[in-house]
Structure formats: structure tokens, C-alpha cells
Amino acid sequence: LFPSRWIHVGGDEVIVEKWWMSDHVRAFAGMAGLRNIPVDMMEVWFCAVGKILKELGRQPIMWDDHFSQRLTATKLCPNAQKDWVVQAWKMDYPVGNSTAVAEDFPFASISSPMRSVYLDYPVASIDFNRSTQLLPLTGPRILGGCATMWTEDTEAN
């Protein structure tokens, strides 16, 4: 269906607290020995999807929302640092410092800092001079950069 080596699997702005309300999710977490349901379920989801994509010769890309809490997961996905690509937009610790991906962040990354390259943000909130100077290849695992524009709030004119 998708010929690209990379498949973006999302993972941003997930309302993970809803999982606490699901009997099925709580039962699954209990059977799997997972204690931190919001973080653990994202890790399990990314791990499962990543495994499927790897078997198909693809590699998952996911937003960085999960990674600020990932180290609190009950179980980390084996080989995630080698198999996953993180699209860094929030760049909260340990991913980065809100403007750049941290050099010691262990995942291959795409730099998309929302505070400097989100083109649909109000002009007053974005430093476009900094945007034009953004060098996404600043770390050893940075694959590139992406300026993002979400059109649901953009006027046609």
C-alpha cells in the first residue's frame, strides 16, 4: 500500500488517561504485568506496530510525545532505539530542549520544533528568522528536518 521505507504511525496528543477506563486495557495490562498503563500502552502499541512494519521491511516514525515519559514504562520495547525514528516536535526532555534535539537522544530523529517551524502558528509566536537558520543536521542521529503546517485551522485566503 505504501512504498516508502518509513511509515508515520502518529502517537501525538493521545488521551492516554482514557485507557484507565477500559476494562479490556486494564485486563491486558494485568496479564502482561504492566503497571504504568498510559506509558506502557503507548510503548506496547509502538512495539507491536514497529514489529509488523519491520517484518514488512519498513520503519516506523512516531511523534515524540511518548518519549518524555518513556523511561517510566514497566517494559521497554527491545531494539526500539535501533528500529524507531522519532519526529521531534515538542522536544521535551530527554528528546531535546524545545528548539533542538539533544545530541545524546539515542533515537534517529526528524527535527520539527514547533516553536520555530510550525508554519500555521500565529506569526507573532514564531521566530521565522530562526526558522530559516534551523540546521536540522546538528546531532549524530538527526535524519533531517520538517516544517509543518496543519491546515485545519488555516484560512483559504
Side-chain angles (χ1 to χ4, degrees):
L1 181 62
F2 301 107
S4 174
R5 173 180 162 200
W6 297 280
I7 305 293
H8 207 298
V9 298
D12 64 319
E13 302 173 355
V14 175
I15 305 171
V16 295
E17 294 78 17
K18 296 279 187 182
W19 291 332
W20 283 110
M21 295 182 246
S22 168
D23 293 336
H24 296 290
V25 170
R26 286 195 318 272
F28 172 80
M31 289 187 299
L34 305 176
R35 296 180 303 280
N36 188 354
I37 288 179
V39 175
D40 289 338
M41 293 310 295
M42 284 303 300
E43 187 76 8
V44 166
W45 165 255
F46 285 143
C47 196
V49 171
K51 182 179 178 189
I52 292 167
L53 290 174
K54 186 173 185 174
E55 290 170 0
L56 296 171
R58 306 291 193 267
Q59 190 171 18
I61 300 171
M62 65 273 304
W63 294 111
D64 70 358
D65 298 45
H66 172 61
F67 292 82
S68 63
Q69 298 177 7
R70 181 174 185 263
L71 294 180
T72 66
T74 307
K75 299 175 185 175
L76 294 177
C77 185
N79 299 316
Q81 292 179 2
K82 183 180 71 156
D83 296 341
W84 297 355
V85 174
V86 176
Q87 186 159 1
W89 74 287
K90 286 184 173 181
M91 296 193 187
D92 293 330
Y93 179 83
V95 177
N97 64 6
S98 81
T99 58
V101 176
E103 287 193 30
D104 61 350
F105 185 59
F107 289 84
S109 303
I110 299 168
S111 180
S112 301
M114 70 174 169
R115 291 175 184 91
S116 54
V117 298
Y118 268 47
L119 303 178
D120 58 317
Y121 276 24
V123 172
S125 69
I126 299 294
D127 181 349
F128 286 106
N129 290 323
R130 187 172 64 190
S131 300
T132 61
Q133 296 169 0
L134 179 69
L135 298 174
L137 301 174
T138 57
R141 289 168 292 284
I142 303 297
L143 301 177
C146 177
T148 309
M149 181 168 182
W150 302 109
T151 58
E152 68 268 18
D153 296 321
T154 305
E155 295 181 22
N157 297 335

